[in-house]
Amino acid sequence: MLPSCAPPSSFKETLLSSSFFGNALGNGQAKTAISGIRLGNINFPRRKSERFSASSVLADVTKDFVTFRANILPQPEADPKTVASIILGGGAGTRLFPLTNRRAKPAVPIGGCYRLIDVPMSNCINSGINKIYILTQFNSQSLNRHIARTYNFGNNVNFGDGYVEVLAATQTPGEFGNRWFQGTADAVRQFVWLFEDAKHRQLENILILSGDHLYRMDYMDFLQKHIDSSADISVSCLPVDESRASDFGLLKTDATGQIRQFLEKPKGESLKSMKVDTTVLGLTPEDAAKHQYIASMGVYFFKTDVLLKLLRWQYPTANDFGSEILPLALKDYNVQAYLFNDYWEDIGTIRSFFDANLALVDQPPKFQFYDPQKPIFTSPRFLPPTKIEKCRVVDSIISDGCFLRECSVEHSIVGIRSRLEYGVELKDTLMLGADNYQTEAEIASFLAEGKVPLGVGRDTKIMNCIIDKNAKIGKNVIIANKDNVEEADRPSEGFYIRSGITVVLKNSEIKDGTII
């Protein structure tokens, strides 16, 4: 820089007293008709001068300007009205099979009376976000039905000027218009034209969510961090240990929280290269020694214009956010990490689904649905209270509308409309419930004809099991997997075994006296 280009010593004071700063502080924009250069979130004016180059002056004062501008110009507060959320319905859900044999992952029941989709939906509603899109593709009928019944204007969930819209994979004109969603980014790309509409011009940020996670988050805290750090993209993350690290996208950040490296589900040496000192996240040395990786939660904030540029123009063939869009965006954009320091679980496999459900009955539970300030909403079914006759129930959850007769339930969850007959023993078991009741007359008729009614019959013993909806399990049945079989396919007999857990199929029938 030439000596003659250095600004006068009082340049900062002169700058602050200029009409530009007066206008900027008053209403957030300058009224002078001059061109601007983008610095952070401020349009800094370039004035014509005969004495020195404006660009040289800007280069010289930028460091001081960035230091003091935060004290002068208050950061905008997070406003849910400027956000739309997109909940991804997920792929075929092969790792959750057979629970996803006839339903999408977000429609899988959880916690006795909820569906997985209720978690991100409720987080949005509790955060004030009322513009919600849900992208669906596989087995979406039950998911669509649940959303229509639960999240509409007549069921006491008031969205004001907002909406909940299901966007199903569909054929459109163009070269790629006749194909299914190819990944998370491609699914959003196929509907990104929605945000180019003039009625959505107030949407400054897009929140991308997954429909198969269990957690409670105030997205406004996340948005505020996104705004305060002047991020183009923000990734919610949490520390994980080595045993789980390869299941997630892993990242490294610098001292400012900006992500400098991102690898999707690395293995071997690539996994080891992503180790970090997590004490910088506030972990104790003991916890940091166990959790040496920072994992992406698959929850992202994008500036709307940045999302459009990335999907439409810069990387039009990239199909996935985690493995393609985010790593590619690091070199051109400010991608920030947001540390989430509460319970979060990816319900991606039968084992994780089973463990997350039974963890709800632990004392104290890591996650619970009971929060009057931030409730988890679900479909109002108007079921009667559960009726329990001379039963032993220990560390369990019994949902609405159940009939329990002289049975034992230990460390288990019993779903809505379930029926447990005399002498039944349930331990470490998850029952997803039933879609309807059978009357006493219907049950008697079934038994007289040698058929198996809905529910669990007399003197049946079940442990370490998931019982899908509308299952009919006869009397004197034993489901225990005493041989510790890890994997087995017995669809003709009404069950599968996955990760050592017996899964009784939806609408299946287990005959009297069966031993599994």
Side-chain angles (χ1 to χ4, degrees), residues 254-423:
D254 62 17
T256 67
Q258 184 168 352
I259 298 174
R260 297 300 182 180
Q261 187 177 0
F262 191 103
L263 289 180
E264 182 71 3
K265 299 179 180 179
K267 311 288 183 185
E269 292 301 318
S270 296
L271 174 62
K272 293 179 181 179
S273 71
M274 296 304 292
K275 283 186 178 181
V276 296
D277 179 9
T278 52
T279 57
V280 299
L281 302 177
L283 272 68
T284 64
E286 293 78 13
D287 287 339
K290 298 176 183 177
H291 304 86
Q292 296 182 309
Y293 299 89
I294 304 176
S296 166
M297 295 167 52
V299 177
Y300 316 118
F301 259 118
F302 284 82
K303 284 184 177 178
T304 304
D305 59 334
V306 170
L307 183 64
L308 295 175
K309 288 176 185 176
L310 286 168
L311 296 181
R312 273 283 179 84
W313 311 116
Q314 290 186 266
Y315 308 110
T317 61
N319 292 325
D320 190 72
F321 282 117
S323 62
E324 296 175 272
I325 294 293
L326 290 178
L328 292 169
L330 296 182
K331 65 179 184 295
D332 296 321
Y333 296 96
N334 179 12
V335 184
Q336 289 280 328
Y338 171 76
L339 177 65
F340 180 67
N341 58 356
D342 207 337
Y343 177 87
W344 175 86
E345 187 61 55
D346 178 14
I347 310 294
T349 65
I350 289 294
R351 171 55 67 182
S352 63
F353 173 77
F354 184 70
D355 291 344
N357 272 278
L358 292 192
L360 297 173
V361 302
D362 290 343
Q363 296 297 330
K366 295 179 181 177
F367 179 90
Q368 57 182 346
F369 288 95
Y370 312 100
D371 188 333
Q373 301 301 318
K374 298 178 181 178
I376 303 297
F377 300 97
T378 193
S379 176
R381 300 178 181 90
F382 310 110
L383 293 172
T386 286
K387 186 175 182 180
I388 299 177
E389 301 175 2
K390 300 178 182 178
C391 297
R392 174 180 176 268
V393 179
V394 180
D395 294 337
S396 297
I397 293 173
I398 312 297
S399 304
D400 290 345
C402 297
F403 294 92
L404 280 66
R405 295 169 176 163
E406 297 186 27
C407 58
S408 172
V409 180
E410 183 177 349
H411 199 252
S412 298
I413 295 179
V414 179
I416 56 173
R417 305 187 188 93
S418 293
R419 182 180 63 85
L420 303 181
E421 286 292 352
Y422 299 96

Side-chain angles (χ1 to χ4, degrees), residues 9 24 135 157 249 318 451 505 516:
S9 61
L135 301 187
V157 180
K451 297 180 181 178
L505 297 178
I516 301 175

Side-chain angles (χ1 to χ4, degrees), residues 349-352 464 481 485-488 497-502:
T349 65
I350 289 294
R351 171 55 67 182
S352 63
N464 202 42
N481 189 16
V485 176
E486 281 295 306
E487 304 289 327
I497 297 178
R498 290 288 182 267
S499 302
I501 302 163
T502 306

Side-chain angles (χ1 to χ4, degrees), residues 151-214:
Y151 303 102
N152 62 59
F153 296 100
N155 275 349
N156 299 321
V157 180
N158 185 7
F159 289 93
D161 60 348
Y163 47 80
V164 176
E165 293 187 15
V166 175
L167 305 176
T170 184
Q171 290 189 346
T172 58
E175 180 182 357
F176 304 110
N178 61 349
R179 69 181 187 181
W180 291 105
F181 297 152
Q182 301 300 300
T184 54
D186 184 64
V188 176
R189 180 186 293 111
Q190 292 194 32
F191 286 99
V192 80
W193 54 269
L194 286 168
F195 305 109
E196 297 173 331
D197 194 297
K199 69 179 181 180
H200 290 142
R201 61 184 179 274
Q202 83 280 10
L203 296 179
E204 299 174 3
N205 294 285
I206 306 297
L207 176 62
I208 308 292
L209 303 170
S210 292
D212 57 354
H213 296 164
L214 180 60

Side-chain angles (χ1 to χ4, degrees), residues 224-246:
Q224 192 65 59
K225 171 64 165 56
H226 177 70
I227 293 171
D228 292 346
S229 60
S230 301
D232 299 306
I233 307 167
S234 290
V235 180
S236 186
C237 59
L238 75 170
V240 296
D241 58 31
E242 188 163 357
S243 65
R244 304 181 65 198
S246 61

